[in-house]
Amino acid sequence: MNISGKLTALQVMQDAPVIPVIVLSDVKQAVLLARALVAGGIRMLEVTLRTPQALACIEAIARDVPEAVAGAGTVRSAADAQACAMAGARFAVSPGYTHAVGQACRDAGLPLLPGVATGSEIMMAQEDGLTELKFFPAMQAGGPAMLKAWSGPFGDVRFCPTGGVSTANAAEFLSLPNVVCVGGSWLTPADALARGDWAQITALAQQACQLQRRAG
């Protein structure tokens, strides 16, 4: 897939079976981490806004790793969306959904994967034209069984479950017809980041790319 143009939320989800959920506190690590993930076949990178350095990390990846797509996670407000777009993010992921966040992402040209955990939240996102959603927190909100239940009333919605997803259960999620990809932090373990073990991160990305999915 060509990643140089404007992307849709579905294209972000389809690029690989896993979107890494990344927490960075050191801008110096951002480019090295992004290159390690790209080397393993993972290009869509969700850098969460959980540290003061997150925006600078997004900016560094967007500037120095053109073969990656820097995205922003934990987007909770219109101001977050605007700041991420200015930093070079090309997609956004939110833990929940509000109309204001959705509108801000549209205004900024950011495809959004909004977090949902209930049927009402899905309907609210759909009212604003969103059909690719993040199921969060996936395991705590019902896991694969909830997604199976949703496949009836929400058969036109595609999900990226995130939250409690790991190598132990990723394949079960990906076997569902309404799951296009999963989000997980296991591709960027804190100990590997601390050691600068980029080879381990590349290996984890390669393993993630081998996961089979029913949708996609």
Side-chain angles (χ1 to χ4, degrees), residues 127-151:
E127 284 181 356
D128 286 347
L130 299 169
T131 55
E132 285 77 40
L133 310 177
K134 166 184 168 178
F135 176 36
F136 177 81
M139 287 305 295
Q140 295 85 344
M146 181 66 83
L147 288 165
K148 290 176 185 177
W150 278 345
S151 65

